[in-house]
Amino acid sequence: MTAALSVTGLRFAYGKDGFALRDVNFAVAPGRFTALLGANGAGKSTLMGLLTRLFTPDQGDIRVCGHDLRRNPRAGLAAMGVVFQQPTLDLDLTVRQNLTYAAGLRGLGGRETASRIAALLDRFVLSPRACDKVRLLNGGHRRRVELARALLHRPPLLILDEPTVGLDAPSRRDLVAHVHRLCQEEGVSVLWATHLFDEVAPGDDVVLLHRGAVRARGSVPDLLAVSGASDLAGAFQALTTEGAAA
Amino acid sequence: MMAYLRALRAIIWREMLRFLHQRERFVSALVRPLVWLFIFAAGFRAALGISVQPPYDTYITYEIYVLPGLAAMVLLFNGMQSSLSMVYDREMGSMRLLLTSPLPREFLLLAKLLAGAVVGLVQVAAFLAIAALAGLTAPAPGYLTVIPALLLAGLMLGAVGMLLSSTIRQLENFAGVMNFVIFPAFFLSSALYPLWKMREGSEWLYQLARCNPFTHAVELIRFALYGRLEPAAAAWVAGATLVFLLLSFWAYNPARGLMPRKAGAGEG
C-alpha cells in the first residue's frame, strides 16, 4: 500500500554549513495519525517548508501519495491539505469568504464547492459564524476555520505545523480530538508537528526529530520499549540524550 | 481551464475585497495625485510652458500635461503597495497558502499581479473621474483606449513590486525602498515635465530618464488617453514587464530562488 507521505534521504542546509536536516527518513501510513515530535530548533519548520514546497531539498525525495514532489509538484500539492503554524486567514474577510477564496485558489467552485463549504462549517460548528469577519473569532475558532479550509478539496494527507500554538487548553484538546477523529472516521492520513507530548495518543505513530535528524520512529509502545521509559516524555528524554541510538 | 479561471477570479476578488476594506488606502491613493494636480500643478502652470507636442494637437495647460503622469503615479504607488502587502502576506503566511495551490506557481504570481493591476485601474478611474469633474478631461474614447495601457503599466509596476517583495526580508526595510524606487522613478520621468525640457537642464539626466521604464509607462498612458498607440513606449513597457516577471518568477522559485533565506524558514 502506498504511503500517504514518504520522505527518503532528505538533506537540507541553510548556506554552506548550516545543516538543518540530515538524512531524514520516515513515512506516514494511510489513515494513521503520525506525530512529528521535536523540540524548538529540531528542524520541524524546515521540514514543513520542504513538504509544502516553499523550498526544495538539497538531496532526497518526498512522495505524497506516490507523487514525487520534485518531479510532479502539482499532483503532490493537490493531495495535501495544510494548516500552517502562523495564522493565514484574512482577518477582514468573513469565514465563508476565506473558505471561498481558498477553494478558488485550488480551482474549485460552483454549487458543489458551496455545499462542501456548508458541510464543513456544520461539521466544525462554525455555521453561525459564517458571515462574521475572522477578526471577531477567538483563536480556537480561527484554527477550526483553517482546518476546514485544509479539508476543502478532500485531501488524503493532512499536514499540520504546530497547530495548537497560542490556543488555550480547551481549544487545544478540541482540535487534537477533531483531527484524531478525522483519521479514524474518514481515513485521512495526518502528519502533526508538535513539541507537546500530551497531543500524542497511545495509538499514534511518532517520528522523533532531534537536531535535524530522526532519532526514532514507530508506534508509541515501540518508542517506550526502545527507550525503556514509562511515558513519552521519558522516552523523548532518553532518545534525545547525546549518544542515544537511533 | 476552468480551474485557472476560478483561481484568477478568486485572487482578483480577494484583492478587491481587501482594497475595499482599506478605506484609508483608497483615500490616500486618491488624495496624493489630487494634491499634485490641484496644488502643485496649479502653482507650476505659470513656470512651465508646454509647447505643442504629440499626442496633443494644440497648446495645453500644465494640468492636462501632468494628468497621465499622475495616473501612472497612482499605479506606481499601488504596485509598491501591493508588494508591501506581499511582504506582509509572506510574514503572515497567506503567501504560503497561495503557493501551496496545485496550479503552476507562475500562473498564481501572474494572477496576483493582474489582481493588483485591476485594483490600480479602479483607483485611476476614480482619479480621472474627479479630474473630469474639475474640467480636466481627455477625449471621451480615450477613457476606453487607456484601459489596456493602464493594465499593462500596472502589471509592470506590480512585477517590480513583486521582485522587491521577494528580496525584502522585513516590512521595516520597505520605507527605504520606497524612497529609492518611487521617487527616482517618478522624478526621472516624463510625468511632471517633457523630456526635452529636462534635456535643457542636463543631458545625462535626460538619458537616464529615457531609459526609465516608468517614463515609457507614462507615455504609453498619455498617448492611449488620446486614442493613440505609441509603439516604442508599448514595446518598452511590455519588455520591462517580461523581464521583471521572469526575475520575480525566479525569485519565488523554490529550487533556485531566494525563499530559503527568508526569515522564519529556519525556526523550529
Side-chain angles (χ1 to χ4, degrees):
Chain A
M1 206 168 182
T2 313
L5 173 71
S6 82
V7 172
T8 322
L10 204 66
R11 280 167 74 94
F12 185 80
Y14 293 104
K16 251 186 178 173
D17 305 313
F19 261 105
L21 296 173
R22 306 163 191 266
D23 197 27
V24 169
N25 296 285
F26 70 92
V28 174
R32 297 284 296 161
F33 185 107
T34 303
L36 178 69
L37 204 56
N40 291 333
K44 296 193 299 293
S45 288
T46 302
L47 183 57
M48 288 296 171
L50 294 170
L51 295 180
T52 55
R53 213 173 158 263
L54 184 64
F55 33 85
T56 49
D58 299 333
Q59 263 180 44
D61 288 321
I62 299 169
R63 285 179 177 272
V64 182
C65 299
H67 305 291
D68 187 332
L69 206 53
R70 194 191 298 268
R71 290 206 193 100
N72 195 359
R74 292 175 54 192
L77 288 173
M80 67 168 84
V82 186
V83 175
F84 298 99
Q85 187 178 343
Q86 29 336 21
T88 53
L89 294 166
D90 274 311
L91 299 183
D92 289 323
L93 268 54
T94 66
V95 169
R96 194 190 302 278
Q97 285 170 341
N98 267 286
L99 294 179
T100 308
Y101 168 65
L105 269 189
R106 290 188 163 266
L108 307 172
R111 224 171 277 161
E112 198 195 322
T113 303
S115 57
R116 174 82 180 143
I117 289 175
L120 283 166
L121 288 173
D122 260 353
R123 174 181 189 138
F124 290 102
V125 204
L126 287 164
S127 299
R129 311 298 304 266
C131 296
D132 286 347
K133 285 187 179 180
V134 169
R135 193 179 290 284
L136 302 174
L137 268 53
N138 65 30
H141 281 106
R142 289 183 192 185
R143 271 307 190 199
R144 274 196 249 160
V145 178
E146 289 185 306
L147 185 56
R149 186 180 63 185
L151 295 169
L152 270 171
H153 55 294
R154 303 175 199 271
L157 173 68
L158 188 61
I159 295 179
L160 305 100
D161 186 5
E162 306 216 27
T164 55
V165 165
L167 296 189
D168 56 22
S171 305
R172 199 155 73 83
R173 275 198 303 273
D174 186 42
L175 191 69
V176 172
H178 255 309
V179 175
H180 274 94
R181 270 205 304 277
L182 272 173
C183 276
Q184 289 151 7
E185 292 169 11
E186 299 196 9
V188 176
S189 317
V190 171
L191 181 68
W192 173 289
T194 185
H195 61 274
L196 301 166
F197 306 116
D198 61 350
E199 292 179 356
V200 185
D204 295 342
D205 291 334
V206 176
V207 176
L208 207 158
L209 195 68
H210 184 65
R211 296 195 175 171
V214 174
R215 284 297 177 97
R217 57 176 196 262
S219 65
V220 173
D222 287 347
L223 257 62
L224 297 182
V226 168
S227 61
S230 59
D231 59 14
L232 202 53
F236 182 84
Q237 181 71 30
L239 292 165
T240 55
T241 308
E242 287 315 302
Chain B
M1 196 62 204
M2 194 66 186
Y4 287 81
L5 284 177
R6 280 176 172 157
L8 179 65
R9 194 177 59 190
I11 291 170
I12 293 178
W13 173 73
R14 170 188 182 252
E15 213 68 28
M16 283 304 293
L17 277 178
R18 276 166 60 96
F19 173 66
L20 293 175
H21 283 126
Q22 298 171 321
R23 268 185 218 118
E24 301 83 10
R25 182 176 158 195
F26 191 28
V27 171
S28 64
L30 274 182
V31 167
R32 200 178 297 116
L34 290 173
V35 165
W36 279 86
L37 187 62
F38 293 122
I39 301 176
F40 174 85
F44 255 60
R45 83 192 284 182
L48 274 171
I50 307 287
S51 65
V52 179
Q53 65 174 72
Y56 309 108
D57 301 324
T58 174
Y59 283 101
I60 49 161
T61 63
Y62 183 60
E63 284 95 328
I64 288 290
Y65 178 82
V66 291
L67 207 55
L70 294 179
M73 182 174 95
V74 173
L75 296 178
L76 177 65
F77 270 92
N78 182 61
M80 295 306 124
Q81 216 141 21
S82 310
S83 75
L84 179 77
S85 86
M86 266 182 257
V87 176
Y88 174 82
D89 274 0
R90 203 185 54 221
E91 288 199 345
M92 297 308 289
S94 41
M95 196 70 180
R96 288 189 70 174
L97 178 72
L98 183 85
L99 298 179
T100 48
S101 161
L103 296 174
R105 195 163 281 197
E106 289 78 10
F107 168 78
L108 295 167
L109 294 173
L110 188 62
K112 192 142 172 75
L113 282 182
L114 202 58
V118 170
V119 169
L121 188 66
V122 173
Q123 293 175 1
V124 172
F127 165 68
L128 288 178
I130 295 174
L133 287 177
L136 300 169
T137 55
Y143 288 105
L144 284 181
T145 50
V146 79
I147 291 175
L150 289 170
L151 280 177
L152 184 60
L155 268 183
M156 178 185 85
L157 295 165
V160 176
M162 183 174 279
L163 183 60
L164 287 174
S165 81
S166 69
T167 53
I168 299 166
R169 274 161 193 249
Q170 284 167 341
L171 287 175
E172 291 75 37
N173 298 346
F174 201 79
V177 176
M178 299 286 267
N179 287 337
F180 286 106
V181 177
I182 289 192
F183 291 132
F186 186 59
F187 291 116
L188 267 178
S189 79
S190 56
L192 295 178
Y193 18 73
L195 290 192
W196 59 263
K197 202 97 181 162
M198 190 184 274
R199 194 173 205 173
E200 286 174 2
S202 160
E203 175 68 24
W204 69 271
L205 276 183
Y206 163 75
Q207 293 299 345
L208 266 181
R210 244 168 47 112
C211 300
N212 178 3
F214 187 71
T215 295
H216 299 284
V218 172
E219 291 311 304
L220 183 68
I221 293 167
R222 188 188 307 286
F223 278 78
L225 199 53
Y226 285 78
R228 290 170 60 176
L229 175 70
E230 178 22 27
W236 256 94
V237 176
T241 305
L242 194 65
V243 170
F244 291 127
L245 258 183
L246 292 176
L247 284 173
S248 42
F249 287 167
W250 172 79
Y252 276 95
N253 181 316
R256 288 184 296 276
L258 306 157
M259 298 300 277
R261 286 195 269 129
K262 289 292 166 269
E267 292 165 9

